[in-house]
Amino acid sequence: MYRRNSPKSKRNDTSNDRSNDKNNDKNKNNNNKTMMRAAVYEKFGGPIQIRNIPIPTPPPNGVLIQVKATGVCRSDWHGWKGHDSDIHTHGLPFVPGHEVSGIVVQVGEGTKRIKVGDYVVIPFILSCGTCDQCCVYNQPTVCEQQQQPGFTMLGSFCEYLAIPRADRNLRV
Protein backbone atom coordinates (compact mmCIF):
# COMPACT_ATOMS: atom_id res chain seq x y z
CA MET A 1 0.00 0.00 0.00
CA TYR A 2 1.33 3.41 -0.91
CA ARG A 3 1.22 6.05 1.83
CA ARG A 4 1.85 9.69 1.21
CA ASN A 5 3.89 11.54 3.75
CA SER A 6 1.70 13.75 5.85
CA PRO A 7 2.99 17.23 6.65
CA LYS A 8 2.00 16.44 10.25
CA SER A 9 4.11 13.28 10.28
CA LYS A 10 7.20 13.41 12.47
CA ARG A 11 8.94 10.78 10.38
CA ASN A 12 9.69 10.89 6.66
CA ASP A 13 8.46 7.50 5.41
CA THR A 14 10.23 6.60 2.17
CA SER A 15 9.54 2.86 2.31
CA ASN A 16 7.33 3.17 -0.76
CA ASP A 17 9.37 5.81 -2.58
CA ARG A 18 9.72 4.42 -6.14
CA SER A 19 12.63 6.75 -6.93
CA ASN A 20 14.99 4.53 -4.96
CA ASP A 21 13.94 1.25 -6.64
CA LYS A 22 17.07 0.86 -8.79
CA ASN A 23 19.43 1.37 -5.84
CA ASN A 24 17.40 -0.90 -3.59
CA ASP A 25 17.13 -3.61 -6.23
CA LYS A 26 20.87 -3.48 -6.92
CA ASN A 27 21.66 -4.83 -3.49
CA LYS A 28 18.73 -7.15 -2.91
CA ASN A 29 20.77 -10.32 -3.36
CA ASN A 30 23.66 -9.04 -1.23
CA ASN A 31 21.96 -10.05 2.01
CA ASN A 32 23.36 -13.61 2.03
CA LYS A 33 20.03 -15.01 0.89
CA THR A 34 20.60 -18.52 -0.44
CA MET A 35 17.09 -19.72 -1.32
CA MET A 36 14.38 -18.36 -3.59
CA ARG A 37 10.80 -19.17 -4.46
CA ALA A 38 10.15 -20.89 -7.79
CA ALA A 39 7.28 -22.56 -9.62
CA VAL A 40 8.40 -26.18 -10.00
CA TYR A 41 6.91 -29.29 -11.55
CA GLU A 42 8.25 -32.75 -10.80
CA LYS A 43 6.43 -34.71 -13.49
CA PHE A 44 5.11 -33.81 -16.90
CA GLY A 45 1.51 -32.69 -16.64
CA GLY A 46 1.74 -32.73 -12.85
CA PRO A 47 1.03 -29.95 -10.39
CA ILE A 48 3.15 -26.82 -10.48
CA GLN A 49 4.03 -25.87 -6.92
CA ILE A 50 5.85 -22.98 -5.31
CA ARG A 51 9.02 -24.35 -3.72
CA ASN A 52 12.16 -22.97 -2.15
CA ILE A 53 15.20 -23.79 -4.27
CA PRO A 54 18.80 -22.52 -4.17
CA ILE A 55 19.55 -19.19 -5.80
CA PRO A 56 21.86 -19.89 -8.76
CA THR A 57 25.23 -18.21 -9.16
CA PRO A 58 26.10 -16.27 -12.30
CA PRO A 59 28.21 -18.32 -14.72
CA PRO A 60 31.45 -16.96 -16.19
CA ASN A 61 30.47 -14.33 -18.79
CA GLY A 62 26.94 -14.40 -17.39
CA VAL A 63 24.75 -12.64 -14.87
CA LEU A 64 22.22 -13.26 -12.15
CA ILE A 65 19.02 -11.30 -12.60
CA GLN A 66 16.22 -10.61 -10.20
CA VAL A 67 13.13 -11.46 -12.23
CA LYS A 68 10.77 -8.49 -12.41
CA ALA A 69 8.39 -9.70 -15.14
CA THR A 70 7.77 -12.98 -16.89
CA GLY A 71 5.13 -14.11 -19.32
CA VAL A 72 3.27 -17.36 -19.80
CA CYS A 73 3.40 -18.79 -23.31
CA ARG A 74 1.86 -21.78 -25.06
CA SER A 75 5.44 -23.12 -25.32
CA ASP A 76 5.51 -23.33 -21.52
CA TRP A 77 2.41 -25.50 -21.65
CA HIS A 78 4.05 -27.81 -24.23
CA GLY A 79 7.12 -28.11 -22.02
CA TRP A 80 5.01 -28.88 -18.94
CA LYS A 81 3.10 -31.54 -20.90
CA GLY A 82 6.39 -33.21 -21.89
CA HIS A 83 6.24 -32.34 -25.61
CA ASP A 84 9.71 -30.75 -25.68
CA SER A 85 12.78 -33.00 -25.84
CA ASP A 86 15.06 -30.32 -24.33
CA ILE A 87 13.25 -30.55 -21.00
CA HIS A 88 13.48 -34.34 -21.10
CA THR A 89 17.24 -33.96 -21.64
CA HIS A 90 17.53 -31.43 -18.79
CA GLY A 91 15.50 -33.62 -16.45
CA LEU A 92 12.94 -33.07 -13.72
CA PRO A 93 12.16 -31.31 -11.43
CA PHE A 94 11.96 -28.25 -13.64
CA VAL A 95 11.22 -24.49 -13.51
CA PRO A 96 9.48 -23.24 -16.70
CA GLY A 97 9.37 -19.74 -18.21
CA HIS A 98 11.25 -17.99 -20.99
CA GLU A 99 9.68 -14.55 -21.54
CA VAL A 100 11.57 -12.54 -18.95
CA SER A 101 13.00 -9.21 -17.90
CA GLY A 102 14.66 -8.10 -14.71
CA ILE A 103 17.48 -6.32 -12.92
CA VAL A 104 21.08 -7.55 -12.85
CA VAL A 105 22.09 -8.25 -9.23
CA GLN A 106 25.40 -10.07 -9.84
CA VAL A 107 27.81 -10.42 -12.75
CA GLY A 108 30.00 -13.40 -13.49
CA GLU A 109 33.71 -13.23 -14.16
CA GLY A 110 34.45 -11.96 -17.66
CA THR A 111 31.18 -10.07 -18.13
CA LYS A 112 32.08 -6.60 -19.44
CA ARG A 113 29.12 -4.76 -20.97
CA ILE A 114 26.31 -5.70 -18.55
CA LYS A 115 26.55 -4.17 -15.07
CA VAL A 116 24.86 -4.62 -11.69
CA GLY A 117 21.73 -2.48 -11.66
CA ASP A 118 21.06 -2.74 -15.40
CA TYR A 119 17.45 -3.41 -16.37
CA VAL A 120 17.59 -6.17 -19.01
CA VAL A 121 15.43 -8.15 -21.40
CA ILE A 122 16.44 -11.76 -22.04
CA PRO A 123 15.81 -13.29 -25.47
CA PHE A 124 14.30 -16.75 -25.88
CA ILE A 125 17.42 -18.05 -27.61
CA LEU A 126 20.80 -17.38 -26.00
CA SER A 127 23.20 -17.79 -28.91
CA CYS A 128 26.87 -18.72 -28.59
CA GLY A 129 28.43 -16.23 -31.01
CA THR A 130 31.05 -18.74 -32.17
CA CYS A 131 29.29 -21.31 -34.39
CA ASP A 132 28.80 -20.97 -38.17
CA GLN A 133 25.12 -20.04 -37.77
CA CYS A 134 26.07 -17.10 -35.52
CA CYS A 135 29.30 -15.96 -37.21
CA VAL A 136 29.12 -16.94 -40.88
CA TYR A 137 25.39 -16.79 -41.57
CA ASN A 138 24.37 -14.21 -38.93
CA GLN A 139 21.45 -16.39 -37.84
CA PRO A 140 21.71 -16.61 -34.04
CA THR A 141 18.15 -17.93 -33.75
CA VAL A 142 19.38 -21.23 -35.17
CA CYS A 143 22.61 -21.25 -33.15
CA GLU A 144 24.17 -24.70 -32.98
CA GLN A 145 24.90 -24.29 -29.25
CA GLN A 146 21.87 -22.29 -28.17
CA GLN A 147 20.52 -22.26 -24.66
CA GLN A 148 16.90 -21.45 -23.81
CA PRO A 149 15.58 -20.42 -20.39
CA GLY A 150 12.67 -22.67 -19.56
CA PHE A 151 13.80 -25.43 -21.92
CA THR A 152 17.52 -26.27 -21.89
CA MET A 153 18.02 -24.58 -18.49
CA LEU A 154 15.89 -23.49 -15.56
CA GLY A 155 13.33 -20.89 -16.51
CA SER A 156 11.98 -17.58 -15.29
CA PHE A 157 9.12 -18.63 -13.01
CA CYS A 158 11.35 -17.83 -10.05
CA GLU A 159 12.85 -14.90 -8.17
CA TYR A 160 16.39 -15.09 -9.62
CA LEU A 161 17.70 -16.45 -12.91
CA ALA A 162 21.28 -17.14 -14.00
CA ILE A 163 21.87 -16.17 -17.63
CA PRO A 164 24.96 -17.24 -19.60
CA ARG A 165 26.60 -15.22 -22.41
CA ALA A 166 25.24 -11.95 -21.02
CA ASP A 167 27.28 -9.49 -23.09
CA ARG A 168 26.20 -11.18 -26.31
CA ASN A 169 22.53 -11.76 -25.60
CA LEU A 170 21.09 -9.29 -23.10
CA ARG A 171 19.57 -5.94 -24.03
CA VAL A 172 19.72 -3.06 -21.56
Side-chain angles (χ1 to χ4, degrees), residues 150-172:
F151 291 90
T152 63
M153 55 187 275
L154 294 182
S156 60
F157 294 175
C158 57
E159 294 180 281
Y160 297 94
L161 183 61
I163 299 293
R165 309 169 181 158
D167 287 332
R168 173 166 177 80
N169 289 291
L170 299 189
R171 299 297 175 254
V172 178

Short mmCIF file of all heavy atoms in Angstrom, two decimals, residues 150-172:
data_model
loop_
_atom_site.label_atom_id
_atom_site.label_comp_id
_atom_site.label_asym_id
_atom_site.label_seq_id
_atom_site.Cartn_x
_atom_site.Cartn_y
_atom_site.Cartn_z
N GLY A 150 13.94 -21.97 -19.56
CA GLY A 150 12.67 -22.67 -19.56
C GLY A 150 12.63 -23.91 -20.43
O GLY A 150 11.61 -24.59 -20.48
N PHE A 151 13.75 -24.23 -21.09
CA PHE A 151 13.80 -25.43 -21.92
C PHE A 151 15.11 -26.19 -21.74
O PHE A 151 15.11 -27.32 -21.30
CB PHE A 151 13.53 -25.09 -23.39
CG PHE A 151 12.12 -24.67 -23.61
CD1 PHE A 151 11.77 -23.33 -23.49
CD2 PHE A 151 11.12 -25.59 -23.84
CE1 PHE A 151 10.45 -22.92 -23.63
CE2 PHE A 151 9.79 -25.20 -23.97
CZ PHE A 151 9.46 -23.86 -23.86
N THR A 152 16.24 -25.58 -22.07
CA THR A 152 17.52 -26.27 -21.89
C THR A 152 18.13 -25.95 -20.52
O THR A 152 19.14 -26.54 -20.14
CB THR A 152 18.54 -25.87 -22.97
OG1 THR A 152 18.81 -24.47 -22.86
CG2 THR A 152 18.01 -26.20 -24.36
N MET A 153 17.54 -24.99 -19.82
CA MET A 153 18.02 -24.58 -18.49
C MET A 153 16.80 -24.12 -17.68
O MET A 153 15.72 -23.94 -18.25
CB MET A 153 19.04 -23.44 -18.63
CG MET A 153 18.51 -22.25 -19.43
SD MET A 153 19.73 -20.98 -19.79
CE MET A 153 19.65 -20.02 -18.31
N LEU A 154 17.00 -23.95 -16.38
CA LEU A 154 15.89 -23.49 -15.56
C LEU A 154 15.33 -22.19 -16.09
O LEU A 154 16.06 -21.34 -16.60
CB LEU A 154 16.33 -23.33 -14.11
CG LEU A 154 16.70 -24.62 -13.38
CD1 LEU A 154 17.06 -24.33 -11.94
CD2 LEU A 154 15.61 -25.66 -13.45
N GLY A 155 14.02 -22.03 -15.94
CA GLY A 155 13.33 -20.89 -16.51
C GLY A 155 13.05 -19.77 -15.53
O GLY A 155 13.56 -19.75 -14.41
N SER A 156 12.19 -18.87 -15.96
CA SER A 156 11.98 -17.58 -15.29
C SER A 156 10.84 -17.54 -14.29
O SER A 156 10.56 -16.49 -13.73
CB SER A 156 11.75 -16.51 -16.35
OG SER A 156 10.61 -16.83 -17.13
N PHE A 157 10.18 -18.64 -14.01
CA PHE A 157 9.12 -18.63 -13.01
C PHE A 157 9.74 -18.78 -11.63
O PHE A 157 9.51 -19.75 -10.90
CB PHE A 157 8.10 -19.73 -13.27
CG PHE A 157 7.30 -19.56 -14.55
CD1 PHE A 157 6.43 -20.55 -14.95
CD2 PHE A 157 7.42 -18.44 -15.35
CE1 PHE A 157 5.69 -20.42 -16.12
CE2 PHE A 157 6.69 -18.29 -16.53
CZ PHE A 157 5.82 -19.29 -16.90
N CYS A 158 10.59 -17.82 -11.30
CA CYS A 158 11.35 -17.83 -10.05
C CYS A 158 11.76 -16.40 -9.71
O CYS A 158 11.50 -15.49 -10.48
CB CYS A 158 12.58 -18.73 -10.18
SG CYS A 158 13.66 -18.26 -11.54
N GLU A 159 12.43 -16.23 -8.58
CA GLU A 159 12.85 -14.90 -8.17
C GLU A 159 14.16 -14.46 -8.81
O GLU A 159 14.37 -13.27 -9.06
CB GLU A 159 12.98 -14.84 -6.65
CG GLU A 159 11.65 -15.01 -5.93
CD GLU A 159 11.81 -14.96 -4.44
OE1 GLU A 159 12.23 -15.97 -3.84
OE2 GLU A 159 11.52 -13.89 -3.87
N TYR A 160 15.07 -15.39 -9.05
CA TYR A 160 16.39 -15.09 -9.62
C TYR A 160 16.69 -16.09 -10.72
O TYR A 160 16.33 -17.26 -10.64
CB TYR A 160 17.49 -15.17 -8.55
CG TYR A 160 17.32 -14.16 -7.46
CD1 TYR A 160 16.65 -14.47 -6.29
CD2 TYR A 160 17.84 -12.86 -7.59
CE1 TYR A 160 16.47 -13.54 -5.27
CE2 TYR A 160 17.67 -11.93 -6.58
CZ TYR A 160 16.99 -12.27 -5.44
OH TYR A 160 16.83 -11.34 -4.44
N LEU A 161 17.39 -15.61 -11.76
CA LEU A 161 17.70 -16.45 -12.91
C LEU A 161 19.13 -16.19 -13.36
O LEU A 161 19.51 -15.04 -13.57
CB LEU A 161 16.71 -16.15 -14.04
CG LEU A 161 16.81 -16.95 -15.32
CD1 LEU A 161 16.55 -18.44 -15.05
CD2 LEU A 161 15.82 -16.42 -16.35
N ALA A 162 19.91 -17.25 -13.49
CA ALA A 162 21.28 -17.14 -14.00
C ALA A 162 21.23 -17.22 -15.52
O ALA A 162 20.62 -18.12 -16.09
CB ALA A 162 22.16 -18.25 -13.44
N ILE A 163 21.87 -16.25 -16.17
CA ILE A 163 21.87 -16.17 -17.63
C ILE A 163 23.30 -16.21 -18.14
O ILE A 163 24.12 -15.37 -17.77
CB ILE A 163 21.19 -14.87 -18.11
CG1 ILE A 163 19.73 -14.82 -17.65
CG2 ILE A 163 21.29 -14.71 -19.61
CD1 ILE A 163 18.83 -15.86 -18.30
N PRO A 164 23.62 -17.18 -19.01
CA PRO A 164 24.96 -17.24 -19.60
C PRO A 164 25.09 -16.26 -20.77
O PRO A 164 24.09 -15.73 -21.26
CB PRO A 164 25.05 -18.69 -20.10
CG PRO A 164 23.63 -19.04 -20.44
CD PRO A 164 22.78 -18.29 -19.43
N ARG A 165 26.33 -16.02 -21.20
CA ARG A 165 26.60 -15.22 -22.41
C ARG A 165 25.92 -13.86 -22.37
O ARG A 165 25.32 -13.40 -23.34
CB ARG A 165 26.15 -15.98 -23.64
CG ARG A 165 26.67 -17.41 -23.73
CD ARG A 165 25.98 -18.18 -24.81
NE ARG A 165 26.44 -19.53 -24.88
CZ ARG A 165 25.76 -20.51 -25.42
NH1 ARG A 165 24.58 -20.29 -25.96
NH2 ARG A 165 26.25 -21.72 -25.46
N ALA A 166 26.00 -13.19 -21.24
CA ALA A 166 25.24 -11.95 -21.02
C ALA A 166 25.61 -10.84 -22.00
O ALA A 166 24.72 -10.19 -22.55
CB ALA A 166 25.45 -11.46 -19.58
N ASP A 167 26.89 -10.60 -22.21
CA ASP A 167 27.28 -9.49 -23.09
C ASP A 167 26.75 -9.68 -24.51
O ASP A 167 26.38 -8.74 -25.18
CB ASP A 167 28.80 -9.34 -23.13
CG ASP A 167 29.37 -8.75 -21.84
OD1 ASP A 167 28.65 -7.98 -21.18
OD2 ASP A 167 30.52 -9.06 -21.52
N ARG A 168 26.67 -10.91 -24.96
CA ARG A 168 26.20 -11.18 -26.31
C ARG A 168 24.67 -11.07 -26.43
O ARG A 168 24.16 -10.57 -27.42
CB ARG A 168 26.63 -12.58 -26.74
CG ARG A 168 26.00 -12.96 -28.07
CD ARG A 168 26.62 -14.15 -28.73
NE ARG A 168 25.91 -14.46 -29.94
CZ ARG A 168 26.06 -13.84 -31.10
NH1 ARG A 168 26.90 -12.83 -31.19
NH2 ARG A 168 25.36 -14.19 -32.17
N ASN A 169 23.95 -11.55 -25.43
CA ASN A 169 22.53 -11.76 -25.60
C ASN A 169 21.59 -10.78 -24.91
O ASN A 169 20.46 -10.62 -25.34
CB ASN A 169 22.17 -13.17 -25.12
CG ASN A 169 22.70 -14.24 -26.05
OD1 ASN A 169 22.22 -14.37 -27.16
ND2 ASN A 169 23.72 -14.97 -25.61
N LEU A 170 22.02 -10.13 -23.84
CA LEU A 170 21.09 -9.29 -23.10
C LEU A 170 21.00 -7.89 -23.71
O LEU A 170 21.95 -7.37 -24.24
CB LEU A 170 21.51 -9.18 -21.64
CG LEU A 170 21.56 -10.48 -20.86
CD1 LEU A 170 21.78 -10.21 -19.39
CD2 LEU A 170 20.33 -11.33 -21.06
N ARG A 171 19.81 -7.30 -23.57
CA ARG A 171 19.57 -5.94 -24.03
C ARG A 171 19.22 -5.08 -22.82
O ARG A 171 18.34 -5.44 -22.04
CB ARG A 171 18.42 -5.89 -25.04
CG ARG A 171 18.68 -6.71 -26.29
CD ARG A 171 19.88 -6.19 -27.08
NE ARG A 171 20.20 -7.03 -28.20
CZ ARG A 171 21.23 -7.86 -28.26
NH1 ARG A 171 22.06 -7.96 -27.25
NH2 ARG A 171 21.46 -8.58 -29.33
N VAL A 172 19.94 -3.98 -22.68
CA VAL A 172 19.72 -3.06 -21.56
C VAL A 172 18.66 -2.06 -21.95
O VAL A 172 18.59 -1.58 -23.05
CB VAL A 172 21.03 -2.34 -21.18
CG1 VAL A 172 20.81 -1.35 -20.05
CG2 VAL A 172 22.09 -3.36 -20.81
#
